[in-house]
Amino acid sequence: MNLTPASFAYRRTYNLGGGYSAEFVLNGASLSVRWSPDLPRGKTAKRLRASYRDARNRFLPRRPQSLPTATPAIASSPRPAFA
C-alpha cells in the first residue's frame, strides 16, 4: 500500500439536491470543495446555497464554546538587567 499525504485528508460527500453533490476535503489547514457534476451557476447556485452552507457547517469541526486562553506570566517585580 502506497500512503500519500492525500490519503490522510478528511473527506466527506454531501448530496445537495437537484442532482448536485459537494465533496469537502480538509487536508491540514486547507479546505477544498469538489462539485459534481459541476459548480452550479445562476438560479441553480442560489437554490443550492442553503444546502451547501448546511453541508459545510456539518463538515467543519466546531470550535468548543470555551477554549482555554494562554495568558502571559507576569513577574511580580522586574528583574535587574545585571546582577
Side-chain angles (χ1 to χ4, degrees), residues 1-3 5 10-11 13 15 18 21 24 29 38-39 41-43 46-47 53-54 63 73 75-76 80 82:
M1 176 192 279
N2 184 12
L3 295 178
Y10 173 58
R11 62 185 66 227
T13 302
N15 291 320
S21 64
F24 294 88
D38 200 7
L39 181 66
R41 305 216 183 273
K43 290 181 182 180
K46 218 173 183 180
R47 199 172 60 246
R53 288 179 179 163
D54 182 52
R63 182 176 60 91
S76 59
F82 299 99

Side-chain angles (χ1 to χ4, degrees), residues 14-17 47-56 58:
Y14 295 87
N15 291 320
L16 303 178
R47 199 172 60 246
L48 294 174
R49 187 176 298 148
S51 297
Y52 167 81
R53 288 179 179 163
D54 182 52
R56 181 199 58 203
R58 284 185 284 147

Side-chain angles (χ1 to χ4, degrees), residues 62-70:
R62 293 283 183 198
R63 182 176 60 91
Q65 292 299 320
S66 61
L67 291 174
T69 56

